Short mmCIF file of all heavy atoms in Angstrom, two decimals:
data_model
loop_
_atom_site.label_atom_id
_atom_site.label_comp_id
_atom_site.label_asym_id
_atom_site.label_seq_id
_atom_site.Cartn_x
_atom_site.Cartn_y
_atom_site.Cartn_z
N MET A 1 9.49 5.09 -12.46
CA MET A 1 8.11 5.12 -12.91
C MET A 1 7.57 6.55 -12.83
O MET A 1 7.27 7.04 -11.76
CB MET A 1 7.24 4.20 -12.05
CG MET A 1 7.47 2.74 -12.29
SD MET A 1 6.24 1.70 -11.46
CE MET A 1 6.62 1.99 -9.73
N SER A 2 7.49 7.26 -13.94
CA SER A 2 6.97 8.61 -13.89
C SER A 2 5.61 8.70 -14.57
O SER A 2 4.82 9.58 -14.27
CB SER A 2 7.95 9.59 -14.53
OG SER A 2 8.24 9.19 -15.84
N SER A 3 5.34 7.78 -15.49
CA SER A 3 4.00 7.75 -16.07
C SER A 3 3.64 6.31 -16.42
O SER A 3 4.48 5.53 -16.81
CB SER A 3 3.93 8.64 -17.30
OG SER A 3 4.66 8.06 -18.35
N LYS A 4 2.38 6.01 -16.24
CA LYS A 4 1.89 4.67 -16.55
C LYS A 4 0.54 4.82 -17.21
O LYS A 4 -0.13 5.84 -17.06
CB LYS A 4 1.71 3.86 -15.27
CG LYS A 4 2.99 3.41 -14.62
CD LYS A 4 2.71 2.68 -13.32
CE LYS A 4 2.03 1.35 -13.51
NZ LYS A 4 2.88 0.39 -14.25
N SER A 5 0.12 3.77 -17.93
CA SER A 5 -1.23 3.80 -18.46
C SER A 5 -2.02 2.65 -17.85
O SER A 5 -1.47 1.61 -17.50
CB SER A 5 -1.22 3.74 -19.99
OG SER A 5 -0.44 2.67 -20.43
N CYS A 6 -3.31 2.86 -17.73
CA CYS A 6 -4.20 1.92 -17.05
C CYS A 6 -4.30 0.59 -17.80
O CYS A 6 -4.45 0.54 -19.02
CB CYS A 6 -5.58 2.56 -16.95
SG CYS A 6 -6.81 1.52 -16.15
N ALA A 7 -4.22 -0.52 -17.04
CA ALA A 7 -4.33 -1.86 -17.63
C ALA A 7 -5.76 -2.15 -18.08
O ALA A 7 -6.00 -3.05 -18.87
CB ALA A 7 -3.88 -2.90 -16.62
N LYS A 8 -6.73 -1.41 -17.55
CA LYS A 8 -8.13 -1.66 -17.87
C LYS A 8 -8.64 -0.81 -19.03
O LYS A 8 -9.32 -1.31 -19.91
CB LYS A 8 -9.01 -1.38 -16.64
CG LYS A 8 -8.65 -2.18 -15.41
CD LYS A 8 -8.95 -3.65 -15.57
CE LYS A 8 -8.51 -4.43 -14.34
NZ LYS A 8 -8.60 -5.89 -14.59
N CYS A 9 -8.31 0.50 -19.00
CA CYS A 9 -8.87 1.38 -20.02
C CYS A 9 -7.81 2.14 -20.82
O CYS A 9 -8.14 2.83 -21.78
CB CYS A 9 -9.87 2.36 -19.39
SG CYS A 9 -9.11 3.67 -18.41
N GLY A 10 -6.53 2.03 -20.42
CA GLY A 10 -5.46 2.64 -21.21
C GLY A 10 -5.23 4.12 -20.97
O GLY A 10 -4.37 4.71 -21.60
N ARG A 11 -5.99 4.72 -20.05
CA ARG A 11 -5.81 6.15 -19.77
C ARG A 11 -4.63 6.35 -18.82
O ARG A 11 -4.07 5.41 -18.30
CB ARG A 11 -7.09 6.74 -19.16
CG ARG A 11 -8.32 6.60 -20.04
CD ARG A 11 -8.25 7.53 -21.25
NE ARG A 11 -9.41 7.40 -22.12
CZ ARG A 11 -10.60 7.96 -21.88
NH1 ARG A 11 -10.80 8.66 -20.79
NH2 ARG A 11 -11.59 7.79 -22.72
N ARG A 12 -4.36 7.64 -18.56
CA ARG A 12 -3.21 8.00 -17.73
C ARG A 12 -3.44 7.63 -16.26
O ARG A 12 -4.54 7.76 -15.75
CB ARG A 12 -2.95 9.50 -17.84
CG ARG A 12 -1.64 9.98 -17.29
CD ARG A 12 -1.47 11.48 -17.52
NE ARG A 12 -2.43 12.26 -16.73
CZ ARG A 12 -2.26 12.57 -15.44
NH1 ARG A 12 -1.17 12.18 -14.81
NH2 ARG A 12 -3.15 13.28 -14.80
N MET A 13 -2.35 7.20 -15.57
CA MET A 13 -2.44 6.91 -14.14
C MET A 13 -1.59 7.90 -13.38
O MET A 13 -0.58 8.40 -13.88
CB MET A 13 -1.99 5.49 -13.85
CG MET A 13 -2.85 4.43 -14.51
SD MET A 13 -2.46 2.75 -13.99
CE MET A 13 -3.50 2.61 -12.53
N GLU A 14 -2.00 8.19 -12.14
CA GLU A 14 -1.23 9.11 -11.31
C GLU A 14 -0.72 8.36 -10.08
O GLU A 14 -1.38 7.47 -9.56
CB GLU A 14 -2.07 10.33 -10.90
CG GLU A 14 -3.35 9.97 -10.16
CD GLU A 14 -4.22 11.18 -9.88
OE1 GLU A 14 -3.83 12.29 -10.27
OE2 GLU A 14 -5.29 11.00 -9.26
N GLU A 15 0.50 8.76 -9.63
CA GLU A 15 1.13 8.08 -8.52
C GLU A 15 0.57 8.57 -7.19
O GLU A 15 0.25 9.74 -7.03
CB GLU A 15 2.65 8.32 -8.55
CG GLU A 15 3.39 7.54 -7.48
CD GLU A 15 4.91 7.69 -7.60
OE1 GLU A 15 5.37 8.37 -8.54
OE2 GLU A 15 5.60 7.13 -6.75
N GLY A 16 0.45 7.67 -6.22
CA GLY A 16 -0.01 8.05 -4.89
C GLY A 16 0.39 6.99 -3.88
O GLY A 16 1.27 6.17 -4.14
N PHE A 17 -0.25 6.99 -2.74
CA PHE A 17 0.04 6.00 -1.71
C PHE A 17 -1.21 5.77 -0.87
O PHE A 17 -2.15 6.57 -0.90
CB PHE A 17 1.21 6.45 -0.82
CG PHE A 17 0.98 7.77 -0.13
CD1 PHE A 17 0.39 7.81 1.13
CD2 PHE A 17 1.33 8.96 -0.74
CE1 PHE A 17 0.17 9.02 1.78
CE2 PHE A 17 1.11 10.17 -0.10
CZ PHE A 17 0.53 10.21 1.16
N THR A 18 -1.23 4.67 -0.15
CA THR A 18 -2.37 4.38 0.72
C THR A 18 -2.05 4.87 2.12
O THR A 18 -0.90 4.81 2.56
CB THR A 18 -2.69 2.88 0.76
OG1 THR A 18 -1.56 2.19 1.30
CG2 THR A 18 -2.98 2.34 -0.62
N ILE A 19 -3.05 5.38 2.82
CA ILE A 19 -2.85 5.88 4.18
C ILE A 19 -3.33 4.82 5.18
O ILE A 19 -4.43 4.27 5.04
CB ILE A 19 -3.60 7.20 4.40
CG1 ILE A 19 -3.02 8.27 3.47
CG2 ILE A 19 -3.50 7.64 5.85
CD1 ILE A 19 -3.84 9.55 3.44
N ASP A 20 -2.48 4.55 6.14
CA ASP A 20 -2.73 3.53 7.13
C ASP A 20 -2.80 4.21 8.49
O ASP A 20 -1.80 4.69 9.00
CB ASP A 20 -1.55 2.55 7.07
CG ASP A 20 -1.80 1.30 7.90
OD1 ASP A 20 -2.83 1.24 8.58
OD2 ASP A 20 -0.96 0.40 7.84
N ALA A 21 -3.98 4.33 9.07
CA ALA A 21 -4.10 5.02 10.35
C ALA A 21 -4.68 4.11 11.41
O ALA A 21 -5.77 3.58 11.27
CB ALA A 21 -5.00 6.25 10.19
N GLY A 22 -3.93 3.90 12.47
CA GLY A 22 -4.44 3.12 13.60
C GLY A 22 -5.35 4.00 14.45
O GLY A 22 -5.48 5.20 14.22
N ASP A 23 -6.01 3.42 15.43
CA ASP A 23 -6.96 4.17 16.26
C ASP A 23 -6.33 5.37 16.95
O ASP A 23 -6.93 6.42 17.06
CB ASP A 23 -7.55 3.24 17.32
CG ASP A 23 -8.57 2.30 16.69
OD1 ASP A 23 -9.01 2.58 15.57
OD2 ASP A 23 -8.93 1.31 17.33
N TYR A 24 -5.11 5.21 17.47
CA TYR A 24 -4.50 6.29 18.25
C TYR A 24 -3.21 6.80 17.62
O TYR A 24 -2.48 7.56 18.23
CB TYR A 24 -4.19 5.80 19.66
CG TYR A 24 -5.41 5.33 20.38
CD1 TYR A 24 -5.69 3.99 20.52
CD2 TYR A 24 -6.33 6.25 20.90
CE1 TYR A 24 -6.82 3.54 21.16
CE2 TYR A 24 -7.48 5.82 21.54
CZ TYR A 24 -7.72 4.46 21.67
OH TYR A 24 -8.85 4.03 22.30
N SER A 25 -2.92 6.36 16.40
CA SER A 25 -1.64 6.75 15.81
C SER A 25 -1.84 7.78 14.72
O SER A 25 -2.93 7.96 14.19
CB SER A 25 -0.92 5.52 15.25
OG SER A 25 -1.69 4.97 14.22
N MET A 26 -0.77 8.46 14.37
CA MET A 26 -0.80 9.40 13.27
C MET A 26 -0.92 8.61 11.98
O MET A 26 -0.47 7.48 11.90
CB MET A 26 0.50 10.20 13.25
CG MET A 26 0.72 11.03 14.49
SD MET A 26 -0.44 12.40 14.59
CE MET A 26 0.22 13.49 13.33
N PRO A 27 -1.49 9.23 10.96
CA PRO A 27 -1.56 8.56 9.67
C PRO A 27 -0.17 8.22 9.15
O PRO A 27 0.76 9.00 9.32
CB PRO A 27 -2.22 9.58 8.75
CG PRO A 27 -2.84 10.58 9.63
CD PRO A 27 -2.09 10.57 10.93
N SER A 28 -0.02 7.06 8.55
CA SER A 28 1.26 6.70 7.96
C SER A 28 1.00 6.02 6.62
O SER A 28 -0.14 5.74 6.28
CB SER A 28 2.04 5.78 8.90
OG SER A 28 1.28 4.62 9.16
N VAL A 29 2.06 5.79 5.89
CA VAL A 29 1.94 5.15 4.58
C VAL A 29 1.61 3.68 4.78
O VAL A 29 2.20 3.01 5.63
CB VAL A 29 3.25 5.31 3.79
CG1 VAL A 29 3.15 4.60 2.44
CG2 VAL A 29 3.56 6.78 3.58
N GLY A 30 0.67 3.17 4.02
CA GLY A 30 0.31 1.76 4.08
C GLY A 30 1.47 0.88 3.68
O GLY A 30 2.26 1.24 2.81
N VAL A 31 1.59 -0.25 4.32
CA VAL A 31 2.69 -1.16 4.00
C VAL A 31 2.17 -2.54 3.66
O VAL A 31 1.12 -2.96 4.11
CB VAL A 31 3.71 -1.29 5.17
CG1 VAL A 31 4.39 0.02 5.46
CG2 VAL A 31 3.05 -1.83 6.41
N TRP A 32 2.95 -3.24 2.84
CA TRP A 32 2.72 -4.65 2.55
C TRP A 32 3.64 -5.43 3.47
O TRP A 32 4.77 -5.01 3.73
CB TRP A 32 3.08 -4.92 1.08
CG TRP A 32 2.98 -6.37 0.68
CD1 TRP A 32 1.90 -7.00 0.17
CD2 TRP A 32 4.03 -7.35 0.74
NE1 TRP A 32 2.20 -8.32 -0.08
CE2 TRP A 32 3.50 -8.55 0.26
CE3 TRP A 32 5.35 -7.32 1.17
CZ2 TRP A 32 4.24 -9.73 0.19
CZ3 TRP A 32 6.11 -8.48 1.10
CH2 TRP A 32 5.56 -9.68 0.61
N HIS A 33 3.13 -6.56 4.01
CA HIS A 33 3.95 -7.39 4.90
C HIS A 33 3.97 -8.82 4.40
O HIS A 33 2.92 -9.37 4.04
CB HIS A 33 3.38 -7.34 6.32
CG HIS A 33 4.34 -7.83 7.37
ND1 HIS A 33 4.70 -9.15 7.49
CD2 HIS A 33 5.01 -7.15 8.32
CE1 HIS A 33 5.55 -9.26 8.49
NE2 HIS A 33 5.77 -8.06 9.02
N ARG A 34 5.14 -9.42 4.38
CA ARG A 34 5.29 -10.81 3.93
C ARG A 34 4.59 -11.78 4.89
O ARG A 34 4.57 -11.55 6.09
CB ARG A 34 6.79 -11.16 3.87
CG ARG A 34 7.07 -12.61 3.46
CD ARG A 34 8.56 -12.88 3.43
NE ARG A 34 9.19 -12.20 2.31
CZ ARG A 34 10.17 -11.29 2.43
NH1 ARG A 34 10.63 -10.97 3.60
NH2 ARG A 34 10.68 -10.70 1.37
N GLY A 35 4.03 -12.84 4.35
CA GLY A 35 3.46 -13.92 5.16
C GLY A 35 2.03 -13.65 5.61
O GLY A 35 1.31 -12.87 5.00
N LYS A 36 1.62 -14.36 6.66
CA LYS A 36 0.26 -14.20 7.19
C LYS A 36 0.30 -13.38 8.47
O LYS A 36 1.30 -13.37 9.18
CB LYS A 36 -0.33 -15.60 7.46
CG LYS A 36 -0.43 -16.42 6.20
CD LYS A 36 -1.40 -17.57 6.33
CE LYS A 36 -1.66 -18.17 4.96
NZ LYS A 36 -2.30 -19.48 5.02
N PRO A 37 -0.83 -12.70 8.79
CA PRO A 37 -0.83 -11.87 10.00
C PRO A 37 -0.80 -12.69 11.28
O PRO A 37 -1.51 -13.68 11.41
CB PRO A 37 -2.15 -11.09 9.88
CG PRO A 37 -3.00 -11.87 8.95
CD PRO A 37 -2.08 -12.62 8.03
N HIS A 38 0.06 -12.29 12.22
CA HIS A 38 0.13 -12.92 13.53
C HIS A 38 -0.30 -11.89 14.57
O HIS A 38 0.38 -10.91 14.79
CB HIS A 38 1.55 -13.40 13.83
CG HIS A 38 1.99 -14.51 12.92
ND1 HIS A 38 1.49 -15.80 13.04
CD2 HIS A 38 2.85 -14.54 11.88
CE1 HIS A 38 2.04 -16.57 12.11
NE2 HIS A 38 2.86 -15.83 11.38
N LYS A 39 -1.44 -12.17 15.21
CA LYS A 39 -1.95 -11.21 16.18
C LYS A 39 -1.41 -11.53 17.57
O LYS A 39 -1.28 -12.68 17.95
CB LYS A 39 -3.48 -11.23 16.17
CG LYS A 39 -4.02 -10.56 14.93
CD LYS A 39 -5.51 -10.74 14.77
CE LYS A 39 -5.94 -10.18 13.41
NZ LYS A 39 -7.28 -10.61 13.04
N SER A 40 -1.10 -10.48 18.31
CA SER A 40 -0.64 -10.65 19.69
C SER A 40 -1.44 -9.71 20.57
O SER A 40 -2.28 -8.94 20.08
CB SER A 40 0.85 -10.34 19.80
OG SER A 40 1.06 -8.94 19.70
N PHE A 41 -1.19 -9.74 21.86
CA PHE A 41 -1.89 -8.86 22.80
C PHE A 41 -1.72 -7.40 22.43
O PHE A 41 -2.62 -6.59 22.61
CB PHE A 41 -1.35 -9.12 24.22
CG PHE A 41 -2.01 -8.26 25.25
CD1 PHE A 41 -3.31 -8.56 25.69
CD2 PHE A 41 -1.37 -7.17 25.78
CE1 PHE A 41 -3.93 -7.77 26.64
CE2 PHE A 41 -1.99 -6.38 26.74
CZ PHE A 41 -3.27 -6.68 27.17
N TRP A 42 -0.55 -7.06 21.92
CA TRP A 42 -0.23 -5.67 21.59
C TRP A 42 -0.70 -5.27 20.20
O TRP A 42 -0.47 -4.15 19.77
CB TRP A 42 1.27 -5.42 21.70
CG TRP A 42 1.78 -5.78 23.05
CD1 TRP A 42 2.53 -6.87 23.38
CD2 TRP A 42 1.57 -5.06 24.28
NE1 TRP A 42 2.78 -6.87 24.73
CE2 TRP A 42 2.22 -5.77 25.30
CE3 TRP A 42 0.89 -3.88 24.60
CZ2 TRP A 42 2.20 -5.34 26.63
CZ3 TRP A 42 0.87 -3.46 25.91
CH2 TRP A 42 1.52 -4.18 26.91
N GLY A 43 -1.31 -6.18 19.49
CA GLY A 43 -1.72 -5.85 18.13
C GLY A 43 -1.12 -6.83 17.15
O GLY A 43 -0.96 -8.01 17.44
N LEU A 44 -0.77 -6.32 16.01
CA LEU A 44 -0.23 -7.17 14.96
C LEU A 44 1.29 -7.24 15.08
O LEU A 44 1.96 -6.22 15.20
CB LEU A 44 -0.61 -6.55 13.61
CG LEU A 44 -0.91 -7.45 12.43
CD1 LEU A 44 -1.91 -8.55 12.79
CD2 LEU A 44 -1.47 -6.60 11.30
N LYS A 45 1.81 -8.45 15.05
CA LYS A 45 3.27 -8.62 15.08
C LYS A 45 3.83 -8.31 13.71
O LYS A 45 3.38 -8.89 12.72
CB LYS A 45 3.61 -10.09 15.40
CG LYS A 45 3.88 -10.39 16.84
CD LYS A 45 4.46 -11.79 16.91
CE LYS A 45 4.65 -12.25 18.33
NZ LYS A 45 5.00 -13.68 18.35
N THR A 46 4.80 -7.42 13.64
CA THR A 46 5.41 -7.11 12.34
C THR A 46 6.92 -7.20 12.43
O THR A 46 7.51 -7.00 13.48
CB THR A 46 5.03 -5.67 11.88
OG1 THR A 46 5.51 -4.72 12.82
CG2 THR A 46 3.53 -5.51 11.71
N VAL A 47 7.52 -7.52 11.32
CA VAL A 47 8.97 -7.59 11.20
C VAL A 47 9.39 -6.52 10.22
O VAL A 47 8.90 -6.49 9.08
CB VAL A 47 9.43 -8.98 10.69
CG1 VAL A 47 10.94 -9.04 10.54
CG2 VAL A 47 8.93 -10.07 11.62
N LYS A 48 10.27 -5.61 10.66
CA LYS A 48 10.62 -4.47 9.83
C LYS A 48 11.16 -4.88 8.45
O LYS A 48 10.82 -4.28 7.44
CB LYS A 48 11.65 -3.60 10.56
CG LYS A 48 11.70 -2.19 10.01
CD LYS A 48 12.65 -1.30 10.80
CE LYS A 48 12.71 0.07 10.13
NZ LYS A 48 13.83 0.87 10.61
N ALA A 49 11.97 -5.95 8.44
CA ALA A 49 12.59 -6.39 7.18
C ALA A 49 11.56 -6.94 6.20
O ALA A 49 11.83 -7.03 5.00
CB ALA A 49 13.65 -7.44 7.47
N ASP A 50 10.38 -7.32 6.72
CA ASP A 50 9.35 -7.91 5.86
C ASP A 50 8.32 -6.89 5.41
O ASP A 50 7.33 -7.25 4.78
CB ASP A 50 8.65 -9.05 6.60
CG ASP A 50 9.52 -10.27 6.73
OD1 ASP A 50 10.51 -10.37 5.98
OD2 ASP A 50 9.23 -11.12 7.58
N LYS A 51 8.52 -5.62 5.74
CA LYS A 51 7.55 -4.59 5.38
C LYS A 51 8.04 -3.76 4.19
O LYS A 51 9.20 -3.43 4.09
CB LYS A 51 7.29 -3.65 6.57
CG LYS A 51 6.72 -4.38 7.77
CD LYS A 51 6.00 -3.48 8.74
CE LYS A 51 6.80 -2.34 9.27
NZ LYS A 51 6.12 -1.68 10.41
N HIS A 52 7.10 -3.45 3.31
CA HIS A 52 7.41 -2.61 2.15
C HIS A 52 6.31 -1.57 2.01
O HIS A 52 5.13 -1.94 2.01
CB HIS A 52 7.47 -3.44 0.87
CG HIS A 52 8.54 -4.48 0.89
ND1 HIS A 52 9.79 -4.26 0.37
CD2 HIS A 52 8.54 -5.74 1.38
CE1 HIS A 52 10.52 -5.34 0.53
NE2 HIS A 52 9.80 -6.26 1.13
N GLU A 53 6.69 -0.30 1.91
CA GLU A 53 5.68 0.74 1.72
C GLU A 53 5.02 0.59 0.35
O GLU A 53 5.68 0.29 -0.64
CB GLU A 53 6.33 2.11 1.84
CG GLU A 53 6.68 2.46 3.28
CD GLU A 53 7.06 3.92 3.46
OE1 GLU A 53 7.21 4.63 2.44
OE2 GLU A 53 7.20 4.34 4.61
N ILE A 54 3.72 0.80 0.34
CA ILE A 54 2.95 0.59 -0.89
C ILE A 54 2.88 1.87 -1.72
O ILE A 54 2.54 2.93 -1.21
CB ILE A 54 1.52 0.13 -0.54
CG1 ILE A 54 1.56 -1.22 0.17
CG2 ILE A 54 0.67 0.05 -1.81
CD1 ILE A 54 0.23 -1.60 0.80
N VAL A 55 3.24 1.74 -2.99
CA VAL A 55 3.04 2.82 -3.96
C VAL A 55 1.80 2.44 -4.76
O VAL A 55 1.74 1.35 -5.33
CB VAL A 55 4.26 2.95 -4.90
CG1 VAL A 55 4.00 4.03 -5.95
CG2 VAL A 55 5.52 3.24 -4.10
N ALA A 56 0.82 3.30 -4.77
CA ALA A 56 -0.44 3.00 -5.44
C ALA A 56 -0.66 3.95 -6.61
O ALA A 56 -0.64 5.17 -6.44
CB ALA A 56 -1.60 3.10 -4.45
N TRP A 57 -0.85 3.39 -7.78
CA TRP A 57 -1.17 4.20 -8.96
C TRP A 57 -2.66 4.14 -9.19
O TRP A 57 -3.28 3.09 -9.12
CB TRP A 57 -0.41 3.66 -10.18
CG TRP A 57 1.05 3.96 -10.13
CD1 TRP A 57 1.99 3.29 -9.38
CD2 TRP A 57 1.76 4.99 -10.83
NE1 TRP A 57 3.22 3.86 -9.57
CE2 TRP A 57 3.12 4.90 -10.46
CE3 TRP A 57 1.36 5.98 -11.72
CZ2 TRP A 57 4.09 5.76 -10.96
CZ3 TRP A 57 2.33 6.84 -12.23
CH2 TRP A 57 3.68 6.73 -11.85
N ARG A 58 -3.24 5.29 -9.47
CA ARG A 58 -4.69 5.39 -9.67
C ARG A 58 -4.99 5.90 -11.07
O ARG A 58 -4.41 6.90 -11.52
CB ARG A 58 -5.27 6.36 -8.63
CG ARG A 58 -6.74 6.62 -8.79
CD ARG A 58 -7.19 7.73 -7.86
NE ARG A 58 -8.52 8.19 -8.25
CZ ARG A 58 -8.75 9.10 -9.20
NH1 ARG A 58 -7.77 9.69 -9.82
NH2 ARG A 58 -9.99 9.44 -9.51
N CYS A 59 -5.90 5.22 -11.75
CA CYS A 59 -6.30 5.67 -13.08
C CYS A 59 -7.16 6.92 -12.96
O CYS A 59 -8.09 6.97 -12.16
CB CYS A 59 -7.09 4.57 -13.79
SG CYS A 59 -7.71 5.09 -15.40
N THR A 60 -6.80 7.95 -13.75
CA THR A 60 -7.54 9.22 -13.68
C THR A 60 -8.89 9.10 -14.38
O THR A 60 -9.73 9.99 -14.26
CB THR A 60 -6.74 10.36 -14.34
OG1 THR A 60 -6.41 9.97 -15.68
CG2 THR A 60 -5.46 10.64 -13.57
N SER A 61 -9.11 8.01 -15.11
CA SER A 61 -10.37 7.86 -15.84
C SER A 61 -11.34 6.91 -15.13
O SER A 61 -12.45 7.30 -14.79
CB SER A 61 -10.09 7.36 -17.25
OG SER A 61 -11.30 7.19 -17.95
N CYS A 62 -10.90 5.67 -14.87
CA CYS A 62 -11.83 4.68 -14.29
C CYS A 62 -11.59 4.43 -12.80
O CYS A 62 -12.39 3.75 -12.16
CB CYS A 62 -11.79 3.38 -15.08
SG CYS A 62 -10.31 2.37 -14.80
N GLY A 63 -10.48 4.95 -12.26
CA GLY A 63 -10.25 4.80 -10.82
C GLY A 63 -9.55 3.51 -10.43
O GLY A 63 -9.37 3.23 -9.24
N TYR A 64 -9.17 2.70 -11.41
CA TYR A 64 -8.48 1.44 -11.12
C TYR A 64 -7.19 1.70 -10.35
O TYR A 64 -6.45 2.63 -10.65
CB TYR A 64 -8.17 0.74 -12.45
CG TYR A 64 -7.39 -0.54 -12.31
CD1 TYR A 64 -8.00 -1.67 -11.75
CD2 TYR A 64 -6.08 -0.64 -12.73
CE1 TYR A 64 -7.30 -2.86 -11.62
CE2 TYR A 64 -5.37 -1.83 -12.59
CZ TYR A 64 -5.99 -2.93 -12.04
OH TYR A 64 -5.28 -4.10 -11.91
N LEU A 65 -6.94 0.88 -9.30
CA LEU A 65 -5.73 1.03 -8.50
C LEU A 65 -4.76 -0.11 -8.79
O LEU A 65 -5.16 -1.28 -8.90
CB LEU A 65 -6.06 1.00 -7.00
CG LEU A 65 -6.80 2.19 -6.42
CD1 LEU A 65 -7.07 1.96 -4.93
CD2 LEU A 65 -6.01 3.48 -6.62
N GLU A 66 -3.48 0.26 -8.92
CA GLU A 66 -2.43 -0.72 -9.13
C GLU A 66 -1.39 -0.49 -8.04
O GLU A 66 -0.84 0.60 -7.94
CB GLU A 66 -1.83 -0.51 -10.52
CG GLU A 66 -1.17 -1.74 -11.10
CD GLU A 66 -0.87 -1.54 -12.60
OE1 GLU A 66 0.08 -0.79 -12.90
OE2 GLU A 66 -1.57 -2.10 -13.42
N ASN A 67 -1.14 -1.49 -7.23
CA ASN A 67 -0.25 -1.33 -6.09
C ASN A 67 1.12 -1.95 -6.33
O ASN A 67 1.22 -3.04 -6.88
CB ASN A 67 -0.87 -1.99 -4.84
CG ASN A 67 -2.10 -1.27 -4.36
OD1 ASN A 67 -2.17 -0.05 -4.45
ND2 ASN A 67 -3.05 -2.00 -3.86
N TYR A 68 2.15 -1.26 -5.87
CA TYR A 68 3.53 -1.78 -5.92
C TYR A 68 4.12 -1.65 -4.53
O TYR A 68 3.87 -0.67 -3.83
CB TYR A 68 4.37 -0.98 -6.92
CG TYR A 68 3.93 -1.17 -8.35
CD1 TYR A 68 2.92 -0.40 -8.88
CD2 TYR A 68 4.50 -2.15 -9.15
CE1 TYR A 68 2.48 -0.57 -10.18
CE2 TYR A 68 4.09 -2.35 -10.45
CZ TYR A 68 3.07 -1.55 -10.97
OH TYR A 68 2.63 -1.74 -12.24
N ALA A 69 4.90 -2.64 -4.13
CA ALA A 69 5.59 -2.58 -2.84
C ALA A 69 7.08 -2.84 -3.07
O ALA A 69 7.57 -3.93 -2.84
CB ALA A 69 5.00 -3.60 -1.88
N PRO A 70 7.80 -1.82 -3.58
CA PRO A 70 9.19 -2.02 -3.94
C PRO A 70 10.08 -2.25 -2.72
O PRO A 70 9.76 -1.81 -1.64
CB PRO A 70 9.57 -0.73 -4.65
CG PRO A 70 8.58 0.29 -4.19
CD PRO A 70 7.35 -0.45 -3.82
ZN1 LIG B 101 -8.59 3.06 -16.20
#
């Protein structure tokens, strides 16, 4: 995917990513996780195999975001 056009207005979209920053952690790339969130004492329970980093395309004209988690 090197170029895409917006599903809403047809203009050019640019590739990017979402930033996921916890209270005390360094910023990291936002991830999609399979299933429903399970909270524990330590925070959110996550399974590495069920996580996918999110690629977010943003329309340069209307700002529409399209997310992919390959
Ligand atoms: Zn657009």
Side-chain angles (χ1 to χ4, degrees):
M1 288 190 293
S2 56
S3 71
K4 287 177 68 64
S5 51
C6 179
K8 303 291 178 189
C9 73
R11 302 288 179 79
R12 192 177 67 82
M13 298 188 87
E14 57 185 1
E15 185 175 358
F17 58 90
T18 62
I19 296 170
D20 190 355
D23 285 344
Y24 301 102
S25 63
M26 298 290 287
S28 58
V29 178
V31 296
W32 176 91
H33 196 290
R34 178 181 289 120
K36 299 199 169 165
H38 294 287
K39 287 171 187 166
S40 73
F41 180 76
W42 304 106
L44 214 50
K45 265 191 185 171
T46 61
V47 179
K48 200 176 176 194
D50 288 342
K51 299 201 304 191
H52 298 266
E53 287 192 351
I54 297 168
V55 177
W57 287 78
R58 176 188 166 276
C59 176
T60 55
S61 179
C62 74
Y64 177 70
L65 290 179
E66 204 168 74
N67 293 324
Y68 293 85

